[in-house]
Amino acid sequence: MLLDDVAEILITEEQIRQRTRELAQEISRDYEGQDLLLVCVLKGGVVFLVDLMRELTIPHSVDFMATSSYGASTESSGVVRILKDLDAPIEGRNVLIVEDIIDTGHTLDYLTRILRERNPASLRICTLLNKQERREVDIPIDYIGFNIPNKFVIGYGLDFDELYRNLAFVGVLKPELYEPQT
Ligand code: PRP
C-alpha cells in the first residue's frame, strides 16, 4: 500500500482544498478583466493546476512546459533542461507559472529568465509549496500555498521515483525508502 510508505501527513486534503480556493480567489481578483495564461510545469504541477483552475472565476488559458532538474536521486543537480516547450508564444500575455514546489530555485530561475526573453506583459509565480530553507537562488514568489520544512515530501503531484503523485495529501516519505540502509 502506498500509504504504508508515508511517515506523516504534512498537509491534509482539506487544508490543500481550502488554501487553493483562497489562492484562486486572490488570483481571480488580481487578474480581473485581464488576459491570463497559466503555465504549468510538468509533471508535479499538474495536480495543483487542475484544482486551482477549477476554482478560478475569471477566463484563462493553460499551456505546459516540462523541465528536468532531478534524476532518480532526491537532490537537485542545479542543471535544468527543457523537455517540452510551450505550444504558443507568450508575447504580450499575462503569464502565471504554476508549480507544485520551489526548492533550490534553479528551475524557476532558469524558466523565468527564458520566458522573460519572450516579452510577456507580466510574469508571476504561484507555487503550492515553498521550501525556503533549501533556496540557492533568490526567486520572488507572488503566490505561496504553504511554506514547508526541509523534509522529503510526496503526494499531490510530488513524486519519488515517479510514484506517489496520486496521493490526495502532501506527506513525508519514510526515510528508509530513499536512504541507503547501513
Ligand atoms: C520539481 C518541481 C520543480 C522543481 C523545483 O520538479 O516541480 O519544477 O523540482 O526544484 P528546484 O527549485 O530545486 O529547481 P521535478 O524536477 O522533480 O520534476 P517533476 O515535477 O516531473 O516531478
Side-chain angles (χ1 to χ4, degrees), residues 21-73:
R21 193 168 294 149
E22 289 169 5
L23 287 172
Q25 284 168 357
E26 209 181 319
I27 293 166
S28 298
R29 270 197 308 272
D30 292 352
Y31 289 90
E32 177 81 59
Q34 300 177 50
D35 155 70
L36 174 61
L37 171 68
L38 302 180
V39 167
C40 174
V41 186
L42 297 170
K43 304 171 190 170
V46 78
V47 180
F48 179 44
L49 171 85
V50 295
D51 283 349
L52 183 74
M53 65 188 283
R54 286 183 296 183
E55 294 287 347
L56 289 178
T57 54
I58 54 167
H60 60 276
S61 45
V62 294
D63 205 344
F64 296 89
M65 281 190 96
T67 61
S68 165
S69 58
Y70 292 71
S73 93

Side-chain angles (χ1 to χ4, degrees), residues 81-176:
R81 281 188 306 142
I82 291 196
L83 305 177
K84 182 218 172 291
D85 206 337
L86 296 172
D87 288 343
I90 57 168
E91 183 162 358
R93 305 205 63 185
N94 293 308
V95 174
L96 179 61
I97 299 174
V98 177
E99 263 285 21
D100 53 343
I101 187 166
I102 301 182
D103 189 4
T104 64
H106 286 294
T107 306
L108 262 290
D109 179 54
Y110 179 77
L111 266 188
T112 51
R113 273 188 286 127
I114 62 156
L115 293 183
R116 217 167 263 126
E117 283 170 12
R118 301 180 190 184
N119 296 319
S122 67
L123 182 62
R124 290 186 185 161
I125 296 170
C126 175
T127 187
L128 179 71
L129 307 175
N130 180 40
K131 232 189 224 181
Q132 193 65 41
E133 210 183 305
R134 292 256 306 161
R135 199 71 93 253
E136 292 173 11
V137 196
D138 192 34
I139 298 287
I141 311 176
D142 303 279
Y143 306 95
I144 296 175
F146 300 92
N147 287 293
I148 59 164
N150 186 14
K151 295 183 172 180
F152 194 86
V153 283
I154 48 162
Y156 202 73
L158 294 128
D159 76 307
F160 171 60
D161 255 350
E162 295 300 327
L163 297 178
Y164 309 102
R165 295 191 198 273
N166 59 312
L167 296 176
F169 55 85
V170 174
V172 178
L173 188 64
K174 286 184 177 168
E176 60 264 34

